[in-house]
């Protein structure tokens, strides 16, 4: 059961946004994300890349949700789809959806409301985080372009993995 | 980034670096043939899936992952 959906336009081209999405964590806007794992990744016949990732977080839930849940396990499943903006190739559209379950059971509508506003505010932080990562990548590109003229690698390619 | 399984963090990092390189140098340029990270991913997955089972983290039953049931759209 979807409890929250959102659409957002980034003022950056798709290649930049998706590169940033792959390297979104860690970032200062989402300090409660302490771990990221890839559970599945594949390219489908239509050449879409799917990434299924598990985010490990610390706290961050409203206390009423914690006290009501039978266990300390709440699942928030999110789908994010990044597409080039159909009218402007320098922009990217992000569509986001979230489903929340408490140990296999969907939330009551009251709790849905609570969670939806938490997810919504986290999504705003997530967008700020993306802008932060994009800024970092672009700064790296400028640095590399200035210092490594004549390199056969594209700056984005070099910037994408030089961070680690 | 840390992994959900402490023992898997190093493999997570290694796989991540491999993927980021492939993503920038191949995928974004339209080259989806071949994946140099397959072996790394397999080893990393063995570790992660074990950690997920041990911690009883529910990852099944996602409604999203249509895996091709969706009507294909034009996207890069």
């Amino acid at each position: 059961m979807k409890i929250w959906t959102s659409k957002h336009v980034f003022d950056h081209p798709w290649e930049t946004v998706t590169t940033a999405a792959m390297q979104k964590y860690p970032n200062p806007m989402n300090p409660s994300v302490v771990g990221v794992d890839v559970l599945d990744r594949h390219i489908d016949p239509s050449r879409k890349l799917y990434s299924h990732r598990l985010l490990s977080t610390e706290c961050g839930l409203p206390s009423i949700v914690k006290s009501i849940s039978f266990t300390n396990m709440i699942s928030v499943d999110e789908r994010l789809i990044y597409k080039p903006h159909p009218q402007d190739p320098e922009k990217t559209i992000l569509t986001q959806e979230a489903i929340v379950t408490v140990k296999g059971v969907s939330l009551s509508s009251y709790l849905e409301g609570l969670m939806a506003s938490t997810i919504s505010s986290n999504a705003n932080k997530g967008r700020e985080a993306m802008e932060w990562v994009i800024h970092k990548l672009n700064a790296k590109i400028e640095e590399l372009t200035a210092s490594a003229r004549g390199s056969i690698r594209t700056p984005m390619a070099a910037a994408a993995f030089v961070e680690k | 980034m840390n992994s959900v399984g402490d023992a898997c963090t190093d493999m997570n990092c290694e796989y991540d670096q491999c993927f980021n390189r492939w993503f920038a140098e191949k995928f974004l340029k339209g080259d989806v043939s071949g994946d140099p990270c397959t072996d790394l991913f397999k080893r990393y997955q063995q570790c992660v899936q074990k950690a997920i089972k041990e911690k009883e983290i529910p990852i099944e039953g996602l409604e999203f992952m249509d895996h091709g049931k969706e009507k294909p759209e034009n996207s890069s």
Side-chain angles (χ1 to χ4, degrees):
Chain A
M1 198 191 316
K2 258 175 252 175
I3 69 164
W4 178 86
T5 69
S6 148
K7 222 168 191 160
H8 178 76
V9 177
F10 287 101
D11 214 354
H12 307 279
W14 185 84
E15 288 79 4
T16 304
V17 175
T18 51
T19 301
M22 299 303 173
Q23 302 182 49
K24 191 173 168 189
Y25 304 100
N27 72 71
M29 288 79 183
N30 303 124
S32 60
V33 175
V34 299
V36 182
D37 282 287
V38 179
L39 303 183
D40 179 36
R41 195 169 253 153
H42 64 274
I43 297 174
D44 79 0
S46 71
R47 306 197 344 163
K48 280 189 221 158
L49 176 66
Y50 287 96
S51 290
H52 180 187
R53 298 199 290 188
L54 176 71
L55 268 54
S56 302
T57 63
E58 276 173 356
C59 306
L61 291 173
S63 52
I64 186 167
V65 177
K66 272 194 247 178
S67 65
I68 286 171
S69 65
F70 301 126
T71 70
N72 56 6
M73 185 87 64
I74 284 205
S75 297
V76 180
D77 299 313
E78 265 199 303
R79 171 159 72 168
L80 297 95
I81 300 176
Y82 295 95
K83 286 188 187 163
H85 194 292
Q87 278 89 48
D88 186 348
E90 294 305 302
K91 295 189 160 109
T92 304
I93 299 181
L94 164 63
T95 314
Q96 253 174 304
E97 300 169 344
I99 293 178
V100 181
T101 45
V102 177
K103 218 192 177 187
V105 177
S106 292
L107 290 183
S108 71
S109 55
Y110 172 68
L111 287 174
E112 272 183 25
L114 276 179
M115 288 301 295
S117 66
T118 304
I119 290 170
S120 176
S121 100
N122 283 345
N124 282 333
K125 285 188 221 154
R127 286 167 206 143
E128 281 175 43
M130 285 292 287
E131 295 292 342
W132 181 86
V133 176
I134 288 167
H135 179 81
K136 220 169 65 144
L137 287 171
N138 284 337
K140 205 73 201 169
I141 289 171
E142 282 174 34
E143 208 183 293
L144 287 166
T145 313
S147 70
R149 286 182 209 285
S151 166
I152 57 170
R153 272 195 194 136
T154 64
M156 177 58 86
F161 53 80
V162 81
E163 289 302 316
K164 309 256 164 70
Chain B
M1 277 306 290
N2 290 334
S3 170
V4 67
D6 295 329
C8 317
T9 294
D10 286 348
M11 278 187 268
N12 185 359
C13 192
E14 232 189 308
Y15 164 70
D16 223 30
Q17 286 180 316
C18 181
F19 170 77
N20 286 334
R21 190 185 299 256
W22 170 85
F23 184 76
E25 294 186 345
K26 299 281 179 181
F27 182 78
L28 288 184
K29 296 183 183 169
D31 181 357
V32 300
S33 67
D35 179 0
C37 312
T38 316
D39 288 344
L40 268 173
F41 189 65
K42 273 191 192 131
R43 277 187 278 128
Y44 161 60
Q45 280 304 295
Q46 276 170 355
C47 186
V48 162
Q49 297 295 339
K50 182 162 170 267
I52 283 169
K53 266 203 188 89
E54 279 167 6
K55 299 190 180 200
E56 295 182 357
I57 297 171
I59 58 166
E60 316 81 22
L62 275 189
E63 294 168 30
F64 298 127
M65 302 302 271
D66 310 324
H67 288 267
K69 284 189 208 141
E70 233 179 86
K71 189 177 162 197
E73 295 180 56
N74 288 328
S75 56
S76 297

